[in-house]
Amino acid sequence: MSFDDEWKQLVEAAAERKATQMRLNRLDGGGGGGVSTSSGELKVSQKDLAAVGDAAFELHGRLLRDGDLARESSTSAAASLKGDFEIGGALDHVATRWQEQLRTLTDACAHISNHMEYSNKAHANNEQYIGSLFNSVSALDEGFDERTRLQ
């Protein structure tokens, strides 16, 4: 079965269940969570992109601030224990891995935040460009309408 056929079946099954299923993720005044239920197409707005970018930016800041709180005490404890106990080396290894994972996570959050901000600005610029094209087409139409009235 092709992907398109399988997707069509899933959309139809979801539409059948919609009548009998209570939707807990429904927004006030309409559809659920940015999903168009009529065609199965996903939609996103600039507001949605901005919210994701803001959440990623906030998480990035909190990880930078709070994610490193135990590093100094863990490293100090590991150094103290290394001489007499094997657990000191293990604690040092855990602290090092934590720092690496924390750095990876903060980089990912920064990337998401920056990408959402870029996408939001690019979409706004595209909308402005498309709007200006339609305005120029309507000006041409007005010129043609004037010409036909004069004849």
Side-chain angles (χ1 to χ4, degrees), residues 15-83:
E16 289 173 10
R17 285 192 315 267
K18 182 182 177 211
T20 59
Q21 181 181 7
M22 182 172 73
R23 302 252 342 227
L24 296 178
N25 64 342
R26 176 154 278 168
L27 297 174
D28 290 337
V35 176
S36 170
T37 56
S38 62
S39 66
E41 297 287 325
L42 297 176
K43 294 183 181 181
V44 66
S45 68
Q46 286 181 311
K47 186 177 178 181
D48 296 329
L49 294 175
V52 170
D54 290 345
F57 181 76
E58 182 180 323
L59 180 58
H60 178 265
R62 288 183 60 205
L63 286 169
L64 286 177
R65 184 179 63 245
D66 301 335
D68 197 31
L69 290 176
R71 180 187 51 83
E72 188 175 320
S73 59
S74 296
T75 306
S76 174
S80 298
L81 292 171
K82 270 185 185 179

Side-chain angles (χ1 to χ4, degrees), residues 11-149:
V11 169
E12 289 171 358
E16 289 173 10
R17 285 192 315 267
K18 182 182 177 211
T20 59
Q21 181 181 7
M22 182 172 73
R23 302 252 342 227
L24 296 178
N25 64 342
R26 176 154 278 168
L27 297 174
D28 290 337
V35 176
S36 170
T37 56
S38 62
S39 66
E41 297 287 325
L42 297 176
K43 294 183 181 181
V44 66
S45 68
Q46 286 181 311
K47 186 177 178 181
D48 296 329
L49 294 175
V52 170
D54 290 345
F57 181 76
E58 182 180 323
L59 180 58
H60 178 265
R62 288 183 60 205
L63 286 169
L64 286 177
R65 184 179 63 245
D66 301 335
D68 197 31
L69 290 176
R71 180 187 51 83
E72 188 175 320
S73 59
S74 296
T75 306
S76 174
S80 298
L81 292 171
K82 270 185 185 179
D84 299 321
F85 301 99
E86 289 183 20
I87 197 165
L91 184 56
D92 188 45
H93 175 74
V94 168
T96 301
R97 293 292 293 169
W98 172 257
Q99 286 304 116
E100 292 169 359
Q101 296 300 317
L102 183 62
R103 191 174 322 116
T104 299
L105 189 56
T106 55
D107 288 349
C109 288
H111 180 74
I112 291 168
S113 176
N114 291 340
H115 183 70
M116 291 298 110
E117 184 176 332
Y118 170 79
S119 295
N120 197 12
K121 287 180 182 177
H123 182 69
N125 290 340
N126 288 341
E127 287 292 319
Q128 184 178 10
Y129 174 72
I130 291 169
S132 68
L133 287 178
F134 281 118
N135 287 339
S136 63
V137 168
S138 63
L140 284 174
D141 283 345
E142 288 175 16
F144 287 125
D145 290 343
E146 283 181 28
R147 184 173 159 195
T148 55
R149 277 186 253 145

